[in-house]
């Protein structure tokens, strides 16, 4: 027993307050009268962190002692957001911590809001990885998250005259007390160089240059503090910090240059969420973290095991998208070159250990690397990839060309991940089905048992319990708090949908959230909002397939209609947008400008008497989502059917009682099943219909001609009605809609308009709306990421959760 000291859990707010004061004094080094808000936040964080450490050690010790199978979740992105409040709630000290801090004269919310939002991801994929970390700890699965400790996460967005402007994010400018640097854990990661043949299948790779991967660990406590896993992020460090001889020759900048170059590998997150980056730096990032993670997990495996053939019984590696797919070649390389295995034996072991999650059906979005680039950056891996491809061909002599890993001078990482994995999964039922029929149809035919579905989920700890205390308390009062770890318990709310008292409670909780959000938005220049208006929210990455454009076109059409019929009984609506566009994605940035321009026009129109507002707070991130989602009445999930793999925003909204307007896409299909078609607003073309439209080259003219509202809005956009100073500004958008409407915005407009008017009507029937809202919450059990993780454990990893 190595553990000798544990901080005792405070019994009451006074004890916790004294722990906070202790840290303020002795860790932060500030007296109370000089302490800033950040000082208080750090002191509180240290006091809470102290309570997480002993259970963390305990989990690590138990996982060695029990020798259960370990899961390694490799993800280029972890969109974890703030950690303090979640940790406080997970260890069950939420109320006590608030009391302690307020007893010390500090505002709880303001202190929590001081924490930087760790945005080490772009959107859904990274947030999924973060929810999975929480769930793997909560269900007691021994697991590690592995990723990159970017110095700069996703850029900070602001608007200048309605245009998106990007600035570097500086989340590490403040102390980050959640992480522990493990100075003893460092791996040398090489690039380039030469390969000389060795014995048998082995070779000797002498890299041309190298960086060090340095480990930083963050504890991830599960609910109730029963199990705590580790998120290990890698930071790139130079082998030598400084070239003294160059310095002595007066080359002061040059003396530090090699070090700076090495560090660029973990400098920034690529801010693009769906388009792959064919850049050398990106490939190096991917190899850097995959290789460090694999060496680290092999080291851990070898502590207690000598027999490498046990690897698939003790280790499951999940590749989150193709970003870590180079890990397939790396694991095989390690087994051959470092452990003397034959290629065939190494391949079999690797294929028993690795699993791959696909996140996109767009073939152009699956990563590909040029043969020449791979040859120059990872020459040994290229050889191994060639061996894998040859072996696959030998085993499947009739395989079609699309299943090749290397083709036309490119390495297809999707095929490498598929062929090198034991299980390949899609992230919603529809997505998995389409995967079998489209991107991986031919590989699926060769390997019919490999693809499985694991529908995404979100953690109900962060996405109900912590972000929506009003709703949490209401639910706890009626059915207890078992739902926090067993979300199917929410089914018990279904009968309460018919109870007026419960509906009133829902109404009150929602209204309080809306008041709070209105104040927050007012502080950000949104003006006064009516908390009794319908809050209609679309927050997600700005992408053409997500169709924010459809939403803003409908908004402009509604504005036209309201001006034409001012006396009609229009319900008040607040249209809320949030989301960032990739810096190089010109069309998405133009759509942001369009939303802001149309919004400015509408918001200035006094004839509407405030019945329609458009707000677009800048810099959407996890903590903004935590404020917006609990206050939403309507959730916009209107992607072109067949293009959103799952969505997880859709789940967060329904859990918080918002009704969904959506297409039959991604997990919307399963949400409809769970809540019943009468409690969700589904419209538009199905995936098959979209496919059929495109097959014949979709022509938007008939749709535009058939709908005068749509025709008018497009003309207004083209004539400069929303951009009088620059009438040609949005010509490109008009042109896209008329001639290259790949995302079939025009084909779905009429149906979208019609369903929005049905929603206007439904909104007026308050009791019925609340009933639907209650049923949405009650049906959300299956969208807990605990369920996803249990599915992975059973169907993919063959790993056991805690008793
Ligand atoms: C949940 C979440 C996402 C994913 O949203 P989708 O609507 O599924 O695209 C993206 N960003 C943040 C900050 C999130 O919390």
């Amino acid at each position: 027993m190595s553990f000798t000291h544990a901080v005792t859990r405070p019994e009451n707010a006074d004890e916790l307050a004294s722990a906070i004061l202790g840290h303020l004094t002795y860790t932060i080094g500030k007296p109370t009268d000089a302490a800033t808000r950040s000082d208080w936040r750090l002191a509180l964080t240290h006091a809470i962190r102290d309570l997480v450490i002993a259970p963390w050690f305990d989990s690590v010790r138990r996982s060695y002692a029990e020798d259960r199978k370990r899961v390694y979740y490799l993800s280029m992105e972890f969109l974890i957001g703030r950690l303090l409040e979640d940790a406080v709630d997970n260890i069950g000290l939420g109320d006590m911590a608030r009391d302690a801090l307020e007893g010390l004269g500090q505002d709880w919310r303001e202190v929590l809001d001081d924490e930087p939002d760790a945005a080490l991801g772009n959107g859904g994929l990274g947030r999924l990885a973060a929810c999975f970390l929480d769930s793997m700890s909560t269900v007691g699965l021994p697991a590690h998250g592995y990723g990159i400790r970017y110095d700069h996460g996703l850029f900070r967005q602001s608007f200048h005259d309605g245009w998106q402007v990007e600035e570097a994010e500086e989340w590490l400018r403040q102390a980050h007390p959640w992480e522990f640097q493990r100075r003893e854990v460092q791996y040398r990661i090489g690039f380039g160089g030469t390969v000389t043949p060795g014995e048998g299948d082995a070779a000797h790779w002498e890299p041309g240059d190298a960086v060090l991967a340095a480990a930083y660990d963050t504890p991830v406590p599960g609910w109730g503090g029963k199990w705590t896993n580790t998120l290990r992020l890698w930071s790139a460090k130079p082998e030598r910090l400084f070239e003294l001889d160059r310095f002595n020759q007066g080359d002061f900048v040059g003396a530090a240059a090699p070090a700076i170059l090495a560090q660029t590998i973990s400098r920034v997150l690529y801010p693009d969420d769906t388009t792959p980056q064919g850049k050398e730096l990106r490939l190096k990032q991917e190899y850097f973290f995959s290789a460090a993670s694999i060496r680290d997990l092999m080291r851990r495996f070898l502590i207690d095991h000598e027999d490498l053939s046990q690897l698939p019984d003790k280790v499951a590696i999940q590749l989150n998208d193709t970003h870590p797919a180079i890990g397939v070649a790396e694991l095989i390389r390690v087994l051959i070159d470092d452990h003397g295995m034959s290629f065939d034996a190494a391949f079999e072991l690797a294929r028993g250990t690795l699993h791959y999650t696909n996140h996109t059906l767009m073939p152009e979005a699956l990563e590909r690397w040029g043969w020449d680039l791979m040859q120059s950056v990872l020459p040994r891996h290229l050889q191994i990839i060639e061996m894998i491809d040859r072996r696959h061909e030998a085993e499947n002599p009739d395989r079609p060309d699309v299943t090749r890993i290397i083709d036309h001078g490119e390495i297809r990482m999707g095929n490498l991940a598929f062929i090198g994995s034991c299980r390949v999964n899609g992230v919603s039922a529809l997505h998995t089905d389409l995967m079998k029929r489209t991107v991986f149809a031919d590989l699926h035919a060769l390997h019919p048992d490999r693809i499985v579905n694991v529908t995404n989920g979100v953690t109900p700890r962060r996405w109900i319990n912590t972000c929506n205390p009003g709703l949490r308390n209401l639910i706890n009062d009626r059915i207890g708090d078992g739902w926090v770890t067993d979300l199917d318990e929410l089914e018990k709310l279904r009968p309460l949908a018919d109870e007026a008292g419960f509906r009133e409670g829902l109404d009150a909780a929602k209204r309080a959230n809306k008041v709070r959000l209105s104040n927050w938005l007012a502080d950000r220049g949104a003006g006064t909002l009516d908390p009794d208006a319908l809050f209609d929210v679309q927050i997600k990455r700005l992408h053409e397939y997500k169709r924010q454009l459809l939403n803003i076109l409908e908004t402009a059409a509604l504005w036209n209609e309201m001006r034409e019929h001012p006396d009609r009984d229009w319900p008040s609506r607040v249209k809320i947008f949030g989301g960032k566009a990739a810096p190089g994605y010109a069309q998405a940035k133009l759509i942001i400008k369009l939303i802001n321009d149309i919004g400015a026009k509408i918001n200035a129109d006094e004839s509407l008497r405030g019945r329609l507002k458009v707000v677009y707070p800048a810099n959407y991130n996890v903590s903004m989502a935590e404020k917006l989602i609990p206050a939403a009445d309507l959730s916009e999930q209107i992607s072109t059917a067949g293009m959103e793999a799952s969505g997880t925003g859709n789940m967060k909204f329904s859990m918080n009682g918002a009704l969904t307007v959506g297409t039959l896409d991604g997990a919307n299909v399963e949400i409809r099943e769970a809540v019943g078609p009468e409690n969700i607003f589904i419209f538009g073309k199905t995936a098959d219909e979209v496919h059929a439209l495109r097959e014949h080259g979709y022509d938007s003219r008939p749709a535009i001609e058939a709908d005068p509202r749509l025709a008018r809005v497009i003309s207004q956009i083209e004539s400069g009605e929303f951009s009088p100073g620059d009438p040609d500004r949005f010509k490109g958008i008009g042109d896209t809609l008329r001639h290259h409407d790949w995302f079939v915005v025009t084909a779905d407009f009429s149906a979208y308009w019609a369903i929005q008017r049905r929603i206007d009507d439904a909104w007026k029937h308050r009791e019925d709306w609340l009933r639907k809202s209650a049923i949405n919450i009650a049906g959300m059990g299956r969208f807990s990421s605990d369920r996803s993780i249990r599915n992975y454990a059973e169907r993919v990893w063959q790993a056991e959760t805690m008793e």
Side-chain angles (χ1 to χ4, degrees), residues 121-143:
N122 277 289
L125 174 146
R127 185 53 234 172
L128 182 75
C131 283
F132 282 2
L133 287 177
D134 180 86
S135 284
M136 289 190 290
S137 289
T138 293
V139 307
L141 186 80

Side-chain angles (χ1 to χ4, degrees), residues 20 411 540 612 693:
I20 295 169
I411 323 293
K540 48 185 75 242
L612 184 60
L693 282 180

Side-chain angles (χ1 to χ4, degrees), residues 79 122-124 127 463 539-541 546 620-622 625 637 644 647-650 652:
L79 188 51
N122 277 289
R127 185 53 234 172
W463 294 111
I539 46 175
K540 48 185 75 242
R541 282 304 288 257
K546 291 177 180 279
Y620 174 58
N621 58 12
V622 172
Q637 308 299 337
E644 184 74 87
T648 48
N650 46 2
K652 299 170 197 161

Side-chain angles (χ1 to χ4, degrees), residues 62-110:
R62 272 184 63 190
S63 64
Y64 277 102
E66 296 169 14
D67 194 28
R68 282 190 288 151
K69 189 169 187 176
R70 287 195 176 86
V71 171
Y72 296 98
Y73 198 84
L74 270 58
S75 180
M76 193 87 170
E77 304 190 3
F78 284 94
L79 188 51
I80 50 185
R82 292 177 177 149
L83 297 179
L84 176 56
E85 190 177 16
D86 218 45
V88 169
D89 282 347
N90 272 8
I91 64 171
L93 290 183
D95 292 340
M96 191 194 290
R98 169 193 295 259
D99 291 348
L101 206 64
E102 307 228 306
L104 293 163
Q106 300 305 307
D107 184 274
W108 173 243
R109 204 72 257 162
E110 284 177 5

